[in-house]
Amino acid sequence: MFVVILNYTAPLEEIDRHLEAHNAWLEENFAAGHFLASGRQDPRTGGLILARGSDREELVRILALDPFGQNKVATHTVIDWRPSRASAEAQWLLQP
């Protein structure tokens, strides 16, 4: 599993110009089963994606297609995450 941190590198006006395409990219990857959750940071300085899988190279290829990255308005930081404990309602996170 991976945590992807998006950090905006452009003003929000520029981010918003690419938001529709970014959201379509997110939907494609949710439908393909790559992403588990996503959302904005608060304050709005970027976002976070919880991604499924164990192949970092595949995830990097997927992230390269993000319109935010392609238009150089955000960067992606990929963190390999192996949860070892979870609350009762989040036990699904511990599944390999």
Side-chain angles (χ1 to χ4, degrees):
M1 186 172 304
F2 298 94
V3 175
V4 180
I5 301 171
L6 282 78
N7 287 302
Y8 297 154
T9 59
L12 289 178
E13 297 78 24
E14 183 69 16
I15 298 297
D16 288 341
R17 284 189 207 118
H18 304 286
L19 190 56
E20 186 175 333
H22 171 76
N23 284 332
W25 170 81
L26 284 171
E27 286 303 319
E28 289 173 19
N29 285 286
F30 275 108
H34 301 299
F35 296 165
L36 298 169
S38 68
R40 293 178 177 169
Q41 294 181 35
D42 187 13
R44 193 174 170 209
T45 58
L48 188 137
I49 299 169
L50 186 58
R52 164 189 329 263
S54 59
D55 187 340
R56 184 185 190 96
E57 291 176 7
E58 178 185 8
L59 178 59
V60 169
R61 285 191 296 273
I62 292 167
L63 294 174
L65 300 175
D66 180 3
F68 281 175
Q70 290 181 331
N71 290 287
K72 300 185 182 350
V73 298
T75 60
H76 301 88
T77 301
V78 177
I79 300 169
D80 191 334
W81 182 52
R82 301 290 175 241
S84 57
R85 294 186 181 148
S87 65
E89 61 268 15
Q91 287 295 303
W92 62 270
L93 287 169
L94 303 179
Q95 303 302 313

Coordinates of all heavy atoms in Angstrom, one line a residue:
M1 N 0.9 -1.2 0.0 CA 0.0 0.0 0.0 C 0.9 1.2 0.0 O 2.0 1.2 0.5 CB -0.9 0.0 1.2 CG -1.9 1.1 1.3 SD -3.1 0.9 2.6 CE -3.7 -0.7 2.4
F2 N 0.4 2.3 -0.6 CA 1.2 3.5 -0.7 C 0.3 4.7 -0.3 O -0.9 4.8 -0.5 CB 1.6 3.8 -2.1 CG 2.6 2.7 -2.6 CD1 2.0 1.6 -3.3 CD2 3.9 2.7 -2.4 CE1 2.9 0.6 -3.8 CE2 4.7 1.7 -2.9 CZ 4.2 0.7 -3.6
V3 N 1.0 5.7 0.3 CA 0.4 7.0 0.6 C 1.1 8.0 -0.4 O 2.3 8.0 -0.5 CB 0.6 7.5 2.0 CG1 0.1 8.9 2.2 CG2 0.0 6.5 3.0
V4 N 0.3 8.7 -1.2 CA 0.8 9.6 -2.1 C 0.4 11.0 -1.7 O -0.7 11.3 -1.5 CB 0.3 9.4 -3.6 CG1 0.9 10.4 -4.5 CG2 0.6 8.0 -4.0
I5 N 1.4 11.9 -1.4 CA 1.2 13.2 -1.0 C 1.4 14.1 -2.2 O 2.4 14.1 -2.8 CB 2.1 13.6 0.1 CG1 1.9 12.7 1.3 CG2 1.9 15.1 0.5 CD1 2.9 12.9 2.5
L6 N 0.3 14.9 -2.6 CA 0.4 15.9 -3.6 C 0.7 17.2 -3.0 O -0.1 17.6 -2.0 CB -0.9 16.0 -4.4 CG -1.1 14.9 -5.4 CD1 -1.6 13.6 -4.8 CD2 -2.1 15.3 -6.4
N7 N 1.6 18.0 -3.5 CA 1.9 19.3 -3.0 C 1.8 20.3 -4.2 O 2.4 20.1 -5.2 CB 3.3 19.4 -2.4 CG 3.4 18.7 -1.1 OD1 2.7 19.1 -0.2 ND2 4.3 17.8 -1.0
Y8 N 0.9 21.2 -4.1 CA 0.7 22.2 -5.1 C 1.9 23.1 -5.3 O 2.5 23.5 -4.3 CB -0.5 23.1 -4.9 CG -1.8 22.4 -4.8 CD1 -2.9 22.9 -4.1 CD2 -2.1 21.2 -5.5 CE1 -4.1 22.2 -4.0 CE2 -3.3 20.5 -5.4 CZ -4.3 21.0 -4.7 OH -5.5 20.4 -4.7
T9 N 2.3 23.3 -6.5 CA 3.5 24.2 -6.8 C 3.0 25.4 -7.6 O 3.9 26.1 -8.1 CB 4.5 23.4 -7.6 OG1 3.9 22.9 -8.8 CG2 5.0 22.2 -6.8
A10 N 1.8 25.6 -7.7 CA 1.2 26.8 -8.5 C 0.1 27.4 -7.7 O -0.5 26.7 -6.8 CB 0.7 26.3 -9.8
P11 N -0.3 28.6 -8.0 CA -1.5 29.2 -7.3 C -2.8 28.4 -7.5 O -2.9 27.7 -8.5 CB -1.6 30.6 -8.0 CG -0.2 30.8 -8.6 CD 0.3 29.5 -9.0
L12 N -3.7 28.5 -6.6 CA -4.9 27.8 -6.7 C -5.7 28.0 -8.0 O -6.4 27.1 -8.5 CB -5.8 28.0 -5.5 CG -5.3 27.4 -4.2 CD1 -6.3 27.8 -3.0 CD2 -5.2 25.9 -4.3
E13 N -5.6 29.2 -8.6 CA -6.3 29.5 -9.8 C -5.8 28.6 -10.9 O -6.5 28.1 -11.8 CB -6.0 31.0 -10.2 CG -6.6 32.0 -9.3 CD -5.8 32.2 -8.0 OE1 -4.6 32.0 -8.0 OE2 -6.4 32.6 -7.0
E14 N -4.5 28.3 -10.9 CA -3.9 27.4 -11.9 C -4.3 26.0 -11.6 O -4.6 25.2 -12.5 CB -2.3 27.6 -11.9 CG -1.6 26.8 -13.0 CD -1.9 27.2 -14.4 OE1 -2.4 28.3 -14.6 OE2 -1.6 26.4 -15.3
I15 N -4.3 25.6 -10.3 CA -4.7 24.3 -9.9 C -6.1 24.0 -10.4 O -6.4 23.0 -11.0 CB -4.7 24.1 -8.4 CG1 -3.2 24.3 -7.9 CG2 -5.3 22.8 -8.0 CD1 -2.3 23.2 -8.3
D16 N -7.0 25.0 -10.2 CA -8.4 24.8 -10.6 C -8.6 24.7 -12.1 O -9.6 24.0 -12.5 CB -9.2 26.0 -10.1 CG -9.4 26.0 -8.6 OD1 -9.2 24.9 -8.0 OD2 -9.7 27.0 -8.0
R17 N -7.7 25.2 -12.9 CA -7.8 25.0 -14.4 C -7.6 23.5 -14.8 O -8.1 23.1 -15.8 CB -6.7 25.8 -15.1 CG -7.1 27.3 -15.1 CD -6.1 28.1 -16.0 NE -6.1 29.4 -15.5 CZ -5.0 30.1 -15.1 NH1 -3.9 29.5 -15.1 NH2 -5.1 31.3 -14.6
H18 N -7.0 22.8 -13.9 CA -6.7 21.4 -14.3 C -7.5 20.4 -13.4 O -7.3 19.2 -13.5 CB -5.2 21.1 -14.1 CG -4.3 22.0 -14.9 ND1 -4.2 21.9 -16.3 CD2 -3.6 23.1 -14.6 CE1 -3.5 22.8 -16.8 NE2 -3.1 23.6 -15.7
L19 N -8.4 20.9 -12.5 CA -9.1 20.1 -11.6 C -10.0 19.1 -12.2 O -10.1 18.0 -11.8 CB -9.9 21.0 -10.6 CG -10.4 20.3 -9.4 CD1 -9.4 19.6 -8.6 CD2 -11.1 21.4 -8.5
E20 N -10.7 19.5 -13.2 CA -11.7 18.6 -13.9 C -10.9 17.4 -14.5 O -11.3 16.2 -14.3 CB -12.5 19.3 -15.0 CG -13.5 18.4 -15.6 CD -14.4 19.2 -16.6 OE1 -14.5 20.4 -16.5 OE2 -14.9 18.5 -17.5
A21 N -9.8 17.6 -15.2 CA -9.0 16.6 -15.7 C -8.4 15.7 -14.6 O -8.3 14.5 -14.8 CB -7.9 17.1 -16.6
H22 N -7.9 16.3 -13.6 CA -7.4 15.6 -12.4 C -8.4 14.6 -11.8 O -8.2 13.5 -11.5 CB -6.8 16.5 -11.4 CG -6.4 15.9 -10.1 ND1 -5.3 15.2 -10.0 CD2 -7.0 15.9 -8.9 CE1 -5.2 14.7 -8.7 NE2 -6.2 15.1 -8.0
N23 N -9.6 15.2 -11.6 CA -10.7 14.4 -11.1 C -11.1 13.2 -12.0 O -11.4 12.1 -11.5 CB -12.0 15.2 -10.8 CG -11.8 16.1 -9.5 OD1 -11.0 15.7 -8.6 ND2 -12.4 17.2 -9.5
A24 N -11.1 13.4 -13.3 CA -11.3 12.3 -14.2 C -10.3 11.2 -14.1 O -10.5 10.0 -14.1 CB -11.4 12.8 -15.7
W25 N -9.0 11.7 -14.0 CA -7.9 10.7 -13.8 C -8.1 9.9 -12.5 O -7.9 8.7 -12.5 CB -6.6 11.5 -13.8 CG -5.4 10.8 -13.4 CD1 -4.6 9.9 -14.2 CD2 -4.8 10.8 -12.1 NE1 -3.6 9.4 -13.4 CE2 -3.6 9.9 -12.2 CE3 -5.0 11.5 -10.9 CZ2 -2.8 9.7 -11.1 CZ3 -4.2 11.3 -9.8 CH2 -3.1 10.4 -9.9
L26 N -8.5 10.6 -11.4 CA -8.7 9.9 -10.2 C -9.8 8.9 -10.4 O -9.7 7.7 -9.9 CB -9.2 10.9 -9.1 CG -8.1 11.8 -8.4 CD1 -8.8 12.9 -7.6 CD2 -7.1 11.0 -7.6
E27 N -10.9 9.2 -11.0 CA -12.0 8.3 -11.2 C -11.6 7.1 -12.0 O -12.0 6.0 -11.7 CB -13.2 9.0 -11.9 CG -14.0 9.9 -11.0 CD -14.6 9.2 -9.8 OE1 -15.1 8.1 -9.9 OE2 -14.5 9.8 -8.7
E28 N -10.8 7.3 -13.0 CA -10.3 6.1 -13.8 C -9.5 5.2 -12.9 O -9.6 4.0 -13.1 CB -9.3 6.6 -14.9 CG -10.0 7.4 -16.0 CD -9.0 8.0 -17.0 OE1 -7.8 7.5 -17.0 OE2 -9.4 8.9 -17.8
N29 N -8.7 5.7 -12.0 CA -7.9 4.9 -11.2 C -8.6 4.3 -10.0 O -8.3 3.2 -9.5 CB -6.6 5.7 -10.7 CG -5.7 5.8 -11.9 OD1 -5.0 4.8 -12.2 ND2 -5.6 7.0 -12.5
F30 N -9.7 4.9 -9.6 CA -10.6 4.3 -8.6 C -11.3 3.1 -9.3 O -11.3 2.0 -8.7 CB -11.6 5.2 -8.0 CG -11.2 6.0 -6.9 CD1 -10.9 7.4 -7.0 CD2 -11.0 5.4 -5.6 CE1 -10.4 8.1 -5.9 CE2 -10.6 6.2 -4.5 CZ -10.3 7.5 -4.7
A31 N -11.8 3.3 -10.5 CA -12.5 2.2 -11.2 C -11.5 1.1 -11.5 O -12.0 -0.1 -11.5 CB -13.1 2.8 -12.5
A32 N -10.3 1.3 -11.8 CA -9.3 0.3 -12.1 C -8.8 -0.4 -10.8 O -8.1 -1.4 -10.9 CB -8.1 0.9 -12.8
G33 N -9.2 0.1 -9.6 CA -8.8 -0.6 -8.4 C -7.5 -0.1 -7.8 O -7.0 -0.7 -6.9
H34 N -6.9 0.9 -8.4 CA -5.6 1.4 -8.0 C -5.7 2.2 -6.7 O -4.8 2.2 -5.9 CB -4.9 2.2 -9.0 CG -4.6 1.4 -10.3 ND1 -3.9 0.3 -10.4 CD2 -5.1 1.6 -11.6 CE1 -3.8 -0.2 -11.6 NE2 -4.6 0.6 -12.4
F35 N -6.7 3.0 -6.6 CA -6.8 4.0 -5.5 C -7.9 3.5 -4.5 O -9.0 3.0 -5.0 CB -7.1 5.4 -6.0 CG -6.0 6.0 -6.8 CD1 -6.3 7.1 -7.6 CD2 -4.7 5.4 -6.9 CE1 -5.3 7.7 -8.4 CE2 -3.7 6.0 -7.7 CZ -4.0 7.1 -8.4
L36 N -7.7 3.8 -3.2 CA -8.7 3.4 -2.2 C -9.4 4.7 -1.6 O -10.5 4.6 -1.2 CB -8.0 2.7 -1.0 CG -7.3 1.4 -1.4 CD1 -6.4 0.9 -0.3 CD2 -8.4 0.3 -1.7
A37 N -8.6 5.8 -1.6 CA -9.2 7.0 -1.0 C -8.4 8.2 -1.5 O -7.2 8.0 -1.9 CB -9.2 7.0 0.5
S38 N -9.0 9.3 -1.6 CA -8.3 10.6 -1.9 C -9.0 11.8 -1.4 O -10.2 11.7 -1.0 CB -8.2 10.7 -3.5 OG -9.4 11.0 -4.0
G39 N -8.3 12.9 -1.3 CA -8.9 14.1 -0.8 C -7.9 15.2 -0.7 O -6.7 15.0 -0.8
R40 N -8.4 16.4 -0.4 CA -7.6 17.6 -0.3 C -7.0 17.7 1.1 O -7.6 17.2 2.1 CB -8.5 18.8 -0.5 CG -9.0 19.0 -1.9 CD -9.8 20.2 -2.0 NE -10.3 20.4 -3.4 CZ -11.2 21.3 -3.7 NH1 -11.8 22.1 -2.8 NH2 -11.6 21.4 -5.0
Q41 N -5.9 18.4 1.1 CA -5.3 18.8 2.4 C -6.1 20.0 2.9 O -6.7 20.8 2.1 CB -3.8 19.1 2.3 CG -3.0 18.0 2.0 CD -1.5 18.3 1.9 OE1 -1.0 19.2 2.6 NE2 -0.8 17.7 0.9
D42 N -6.1 20.3 4.2 CA -6.7 21.4 4.7 C -5.8 22.1 5.7 O -5.4 21.5 6.7 CB -8.0 21.0 5.5 CG -8.8 22.2 6.0 OD1 -8.5 23.4 5.5 OD2 -9.7 22.1 6.8
P43 N -5.2 23.3 5.3 CA -5.6 24.1 4.2 C -5.2 23.5 2.9 O -4.5 22.6 2.8 CB -4.8 25.4 4.5 CG -3.7 25.0 5.3 CD -4.1 23.8 6.1
R44 N -5.8 24.1 1.8 CA -5.7 23.6 0.5 C -4.3 23.8 -0.1 O -4.1 24.7 -1.0 CB -6.8 24.1 -0.4 CG -7.0 23.4 -1.7 CD -8.2 23.9 -2.4 NE -8.2 23.4 -3.8 CZ -8.7 24.0 -4.8 NH1 -9.3 25.1 -4.7 NH2 -8.6 23.4 -6.0
T45 N -3.4 23.0 0.3 CA -2.0 23.1 -0.2 C -1.6 21.9 -1.1 O -0.5 21.8 -1.5 CB -1.0 23.2 0.9 OG1 -1.1 22.1 1.8 CG2 -1.3 24.5 1.7
G46 N -2.5 20.9 -1.2 CA -2.3 19.7 -1.9 C -3.3 18.7 -1.6 O -4.4 19.0 -1.2
G47 N -3.0 17.4 -1.7 CA -3.9 16.4 -1.5 C -3.2 15.1 -1.1 O -2.0 15.1 -0.9
L48 N -4.0 14.0 -0.9 CA -3.4 12.8 -0.5 C -4.2 11.7 -1.2 O -5.4 11.8 -1.4 CB -3.6 12.6 1.0 CG -2.9 11.4 1.6 CD1 -2.2 11.7 2.9 CD2 -3.9 10.3 1.9
I49 N -3.5 10.6 -1.6 CA -4.1 9.5 -2.2 C -3.6 8.2 -1.5 O -2.4 8.1 -1.2 CB -3.7 9.3 -3.7 CG1 -4.2 10.5 -4.5 CG2 -4.3 8.0 -4.3 CD1 -3.6 10.6 -5.9
L50 N -4.5 7.4 -1.1 CA -4.2 6.1 -0.5 C -4.3 5.1 -1.7 O -5.4 4.9 -2.3 CB -5.1 5.7 0.6 CG -4.8 4.4 1.3 CD1 -3.4 4.4 2.0 CD2 -5.9 4.2 2.4
A51 N -3.2 4.5 -2.1 CA -3.1 3.6 -3.3 C -2.9 2.2 -2.9 O -2.1 1.9 -2.0 CB -2.0 4.1 -4.2
R52 N -3.5 1.3 -3.6 CA -3.4 -0.2 -3.4 C -2.2 -0.7 -4.2 O -1.8 -0.1 -5.2 CB -4.7 -0.8 -3.8 CG -4.7 -2.2 -4.1 CD -6.0 -2.7 -4.7 NE -7.2 -2.0 -4.4 CZ -8.1 -2.4 -3.5 NH1 -7.9 -3.5 -2.8 NH2 -9.2 -1.7 -3.4
G53 N -1.6 -1.8 -3.7 CA -0.6 -2.5 -4.5 C 0.7 -2.5 -3.8 O 1.0 -1.9 -2.8
S54 N 1.7 -3.2 -4.5 CA 3.0 -3.3 -3.9 C 4.1 -3.0 -5.0 O 5.2 -3.1 -4.7 CB 3.2 -4.8 -3.4 OG 3.1 -5.7 -4.5
D55 N 3.6 -2.6 -6.1 CA 4.6 -2.3 -7.2 C 4.7 -0.8 -7.4 O 3.9 -0.1 -8.0 CB 4.1 -2.9 -8.5 CG 5.1 -2.8 -9.7 OD1 6.0 -1.9 -9.6 OD2 4.9 -3.5 -10.6
R56 N 5.8 -0.3 -6.8 CA 6.0 1.2 -6.8 C 6.2 1.7 -8.2 O 5.7 2.8 -8.5 CB 7.3 1.5 -5.9 CG 7.6 2.9 -5.8 CD 8.9 3.1 -5.0 NE 9.1 4.5 -4.7 CZ 8.8 5.0 -3.5 NH1 8.3 4.3 -2.6 NH2 8.9 6.3 -3.3
E57 N 6.9 1.0 -9.1 CA 7.1 1.4 -10.4 C 5.8 1.6 -11.2 O 5.7 2.5 -12.0 CB 8.1 0.4 -11.2 CG 9.5 0.5 -10.6 CD 10.4 -0.5 -11.3 OE1 10.0 -1.2 -12.3 OE2 11.5 -0.7 -10.8
E58 N 4.9 0.7 -11.0 CA 3.6 0.8 -11.6 C 2.9 2.0 -11.1 O 2.3 2.8 -11.9 CB 2.7 -0.4 -11.4 CG 1.3 -0.3 -12.0 CD 0.4 -1.4 -11.6 OE1 0.7 -2.3 -10.8 OE2 -0.7 -1.5 -12.2
L59 N 2.9 2.3 -9.8 CA 2.3 3.5 -9.3 C 2.9 4.8 -9.8 O 2.2 5.7 -10.2 CB 2.3 3.5 -7.7 CG 1.8 4.7 -7.1 CD1 0.3 4.9 -7.4 CD2 1.9 4.6 -5.6
V60 N 4.2 4.8 -10.0 CA 4.9 5.9 -10.5 C 4.4 6.2 -12.0 O 4.2 7.3 -12.4 CB 6.4 5.8 -10.4 CG1 7.2 6.8 -11.2 CG2 6.9 5.8 -9.0
R61 N 4.2 5.1 -12.7 CA 3.7 5.3 -14.1 C 2.3 5.9 -14.1 O 2.0 6.7 -14.9 CB 3.7 3.9 -14.8 CG 5.1 3.5 -15.3 CD 5.1 2.3 -16.2 NE 4.5 1.1 -15.6 CZ 5.2 0.2 -14.9 NH1 6.5 0.4 -14.7 NH2 4.6 -0.9 -14.4
I62 N 1.5 5.4 -13.2 CA 0.1 5.9 -13.0 C 0.2 7.4 -12.7 O -0.6 8.2 -13.2 CB -0.7 5.1 -12.0 CG1 -1.0 3.7 -12.5 CG2 -2.0 5.8 -11.6 CD1 -1.4 2.7 -11.5
L63 N 1.0 7.8 -11.7 CA 1.1 9.1 -11.2 C 1.6 10.1 -12.4 O 1.2 11.2 -12.4 CB 2.0 9.2 -10.0 CG 1.5 8.5 -8.8 CD1 2.5 8.6 -7.7 CD2 0.2 9.1 -8.3
A64 N 2.4 9.5 -13.2 CA 2.9 10.3 -14.4 C 1.8 10.8 -15.3 O 2.0 11.8 -16.0 CB 4.0 9.6 -15.1
L65 N 0.7 10.2 -15.2 CA -0.5 10.5 -16.1 C -1.4 11.5 -15.4 O -2.4 12.0 -16.0 CB -1.3 9.3 -16.5 CG -0.5 8.2 -17.2 CD1 -1.3 7.0 -17.5 CD2 0.0 8.8 -18.6
D66 N -1.1 11.9 -14.2 CA -2.0 12.9 -13.5 C -1.8 14.3 -14.2 O -0.7 14.8 -14.3 CB -1.5 13.0 -12.0 CG -2.3 14.0 -11.2 OD1 -3.3 14.6 -11.7 OD2 -2.0 14.2 -10.0
P67 N -2.9 14.9 -14.6 CA -2.8 16.2 -15.2 C -2.1 17.2 -14.3 O -1.5 18.2 -14.9 CB -4.3 16.5 -15.5 CG -4.9 15.2 -15.7 CD -4.3 14.3 -14.7
F68 N -2.2 17.1 -13.0 CA -1.5 18.1 -12.2 C 0.0 18.0 -12.4 O 0.7 19.0 -12.5 CB -1.9 17.8 -10.7 CG -3.2 18.4 -10.2 CD1 -3.6 18.1 -8.9 CD2 -4.0 19.1 -11.0 CE1 -4.8 18.6 -8.4 CE2 -5.2 19.6 -10.6 CZ -5.6 19.3 -9.3
G69 N 0.5 16.8 -12.4 CA 1.9 16.6 -12.7 C 2.3 16.9 -14.1 O 3.4 17.6 -14.3
Q70 N 1.5 16.5 -15.0 CA 1.8 16.8 -16.4 C 1.9 18.3 -16.7 O 2.7 18.7 -17.6 CB 0.8 16.1 -17.3 CG 0.9 14.6 -17.4 CD -0.1 14.0 -18.3 OE1 -1.2 14.5 -18.5 NE2 0.3 12.8 -18.8
N71 N 1.1 19.0 -16.0 CA 1.0 20.5 -16.2 C 1.9 21.2 -15.2 O 1.9 22.5 -15.1 CB -0.4 21.0 -16.2 CG -1.2 20.6 -17.4 OD1 -1.0 21.1 -18.5 ND2 -2.0 19.6 -17.2
K72 N 2.7 20.5 -14.4 CA 3.7 21.0 -13.5 C 3.0 22.0 -12.5 O 3.6 23.0 -12.1 CB 4.8 21.7 -14.2 CG 5.5 20.7 -15.1 CD 6.7 21.2 -15.8 CE 7.5 20.3 -16.7 NZ 7.2 19.0 -16.8
V73 N 1.9 21.6 -12.0 CA 1.2 22.4 -10.9 C 1.2 21.7 -9.6 O 0.8 22.3 -8.6 CB -0.2 22.8 -11.3 CG1 -0.2 23.7 -12.6 CG2 -1.1 21.7 -11.5
A74 N 1.7 20.5 -9.6 CA 1.8 19.7 -8.3 C 3.0 18.7 -8.4 O 3.3 18.2 -9.5 CB 0.5 19.0 -8.0
T75 N 3.5 18.3 -7.3 CA 4.5 17.2 -7.2 C 3.8 16.1 -6.4 O 2.9 16.3 -5.6 CB 5.8 17.6 -6.5 OG1 5.5 18.1 -5.2 CG2 6.5 18.8 -7.3
H76 N 4.4 14.9 -6.7 CA 3.9 13.7 -5.9 C 5.0 13.1 -5.1 O 6.1 12.9 -5.7 CB 3.4 12.6 -6.9 CG 2.3 13.0 -7.9 ND1 2.6 13.6 -9.1 CD2 1.0 12.9 -7.8 CE1 1.4 13.9 -9.7 NE2 0.4 13.5 -8.9
T77 N 4.7 12.8 -3.9 CA 5.7 12.1 -3.0 C 5.1 10.8 -2.7 O 3.9 10.7 -2.2 CB 6.0 12.9 -1.7 OG1 6.5 14.2 -2.1 CG2 7.0 12.2 -0.8
V78 N 5.8 9.7 -3.0 CA 5.2 8.3 -2.7 C 5.9 7.7 -1.5 O 7.1 7.7 -1.4 CB 5.5 7.4 -4.0 CG1 5.0 6.0 -3.7 CG2 4.9 8.0 -5.2
I79 N 5.0 7.3 -0.6 CA 5.5 6.7 0.7 C 5.0 5.2 0.7 O 3.8 5.0 0.6 CB 5.0 7.4 1.9 CG1 5.5 8.9 1.9 CG2 5.4 6.7 3.2 CD1 4.8 9.8 2.9
D80 N 5.9 4.3 0.7 CA 5.5 2.9 0.9 C 5.1 2.7 2.3 O 5.8 3.0 3.2 CB 6.7 2.0 0.5 CG 6.4 0.6 0.4 OD1 5.4 0.1 1.0 OD2 7.2 -0.1 -0.3
W81 N 3.8 2.2 2.5 CA 3.3 2.1 3.8 C 2.7 0.7 4.0 O 1.9 0.1 3.2 CB 2.1 3.1 4.0 CG 1.5 3.1 5.3 CD1 2.1 3.2 6.5 CD2 0.1 3.1 5.6 NE1 1.1 3.2 7.5 CE2 -0.1 3.1 6.9 CE3 -1.0 2.9 4.7 CZ2 -1.4 3.1 7.5 CZ3 -2.3 2.9 5.3 CH2 -2.5 3.0 6.7
R82 N 3.2 0.0 5.1 CA 2.7 -1.3 5.5 C 2.1 -1.2 6.9 O 2.8 -1.3 7.9 CB 3.9 -2.3 5.5 CG 4.6 -2.5 4.2 CD 3.7 -3.2 3.2 NE 4.4 -3.2 1.9 CZ 3.9 -2.7 0.8 NH1 2.8 -2.0 0.8 NH2 4.5 -2.7 -0.4
P83 N 0.8 -1.0 6.9 CA 0.1 -0.8 8.2 C 0.3 -2.1 9.1 O 0.2 -3.2 8.5 CB -1.3 -0.5 7.9 CG -1.5 -0.9 6.5 CD -0.2 -0.9 5.8
S84 N 0.6 -1.9 10.3 CA 0.7 -3.1 11.2 C -0.3 -3.2 12.3 O -0.5 -4.2 12.9 CB 2.1 -3.1 11.9 OG 2.3 -1.9 12.6
R85 N -1.0 -2.1 12.5 CA -2.1 -2.0 13.5 C -3.3 -1.2 12.9 O -3.0 -0.2 12.2 CB -1.7 -1.4 14.8 CG -0.6 -2.2 15.5 CD -0.3 -1.6 16.9 NE 0.7 -2.5 17.5 CZ 1.6 -2.0 18.3 NH1 1.6 -0.8 18.6 NH2 2.5 -2.9 18.8
A86 N -4.5 -1.5 13.3 CA -5.6 -0.8 12.9 C -6.8 -1.0 13.9 O -6.8 -2.0 14.6 CB -6.1 -1.3 11.5
S87 N -7.7 0.0 13.9 CA -8.8 -0.1 14.8 C -9.7 -1.2 14.2 O -9.6 -1.7 13.1 CB -9.6 1.2 14.8 OG -10.1 1.5 13.5
A88 N -10.8 -1.6 15.0 CA -11.7 -2.7 14.6 C -12.3 -2.4 13.3 O -12.4 -3.2 12.4 CB -12.7 -2.9 15.7
E89 N -12.7 -1.1 13.0 CA -13.4 -0.8 11.8 C -12.5 -0.6 10.6 O -12.9 -0.6 9.4 CB -14.3 0.5 11.9 CG -13.5 1.7 12.3 CD -13.4 2.0 13.8 OE1 -13.7 1.1 14.6 OE2 -13.1 3.1 14.2
A90 N -11.1 -0.6 10.9 CA -10.2 -0.4 9.8 C -9.3 -1.7 9.6 O -8.2 -1.6 9.0 CB -9.3 0.8 10.0
Q91 N -9.7 -2.8 10.0 CA -8.9 -4.1 9.9 C -8.6 -4.4 8.4 O -7.6 -5.0 8.1 CB -9.7 -5.2 10.6 CG -9.6 -5.2 12.1 CD -8.2 -5.3 12.6 OE1 -7.5 -6.3 12.3 NE2 -7.7 -4.3 13.3
W92 N -9.5 -3.9 7.5 CA -9.2 -4.2 6.1 C -7.9 -3.7 5.6 O -7.3 -4.1 4.7 CB -10.4 -3.6 5.3 CG -10.5 -2.1 5.4 CD1 -11.2 -1.4 6.3 CD2 -9.8 -1.2 4.6 NE1 -11.1 -0.1 6.1 CE2 -10.2 0.1 5.0 CE3 -8.9 -1.2 3.5 CZ2 -9.8 1.3 4.4 CZ3 -8.5 -0.1 2.9 CH2 -8.9 1.2 3.4
L93 N -7.4 -2.6 6.4 CA -6.1 -2.1 6.0 C -4.9 -3.1 6.2 O -3.9 -2.9 5.6 CB -5.8 -0.8 6.8 CG -6.5 0.4 6.5 CD1 -6.3 1.5 7.6 CD2 -6.1 1.0 5.1
L94 N -5.1 -4.1 7.0 CA -4.1 -5.0 7.3 C -4.0 -6.2 6.4 O -3.1 -7.0 6.4 CB -4.3 -5.6 8.8 CG -4.3 -4.5 9.9 CD1 -4.5 -5.1 11.2 CD2 -3.0 -3.7 9.9
Q95 N -4.9 -6.2 5.4 CA -4.9 -7.3 4.4 C -3.8 -7.1 3.4 O -3.6 -6.0 3.0 CB -6.3 -7.3 3.7 CG -7.5 -7.5 4.6 CD -7.4 -8.7 5.4 OE1 -7.2 -9.8 4.9 NE2 -7.7 -8.6 6.7
P96 N -3.1 -8.2 3.1 CA -2.0 -8.1 2.2 C -2.5 -7.7 0.8 O -3.6 -7.9 0.4 CB -1.3 -9.4 2.2 CG -2.3 -10.4 2.8 CD -3.3 -9.5 3.6

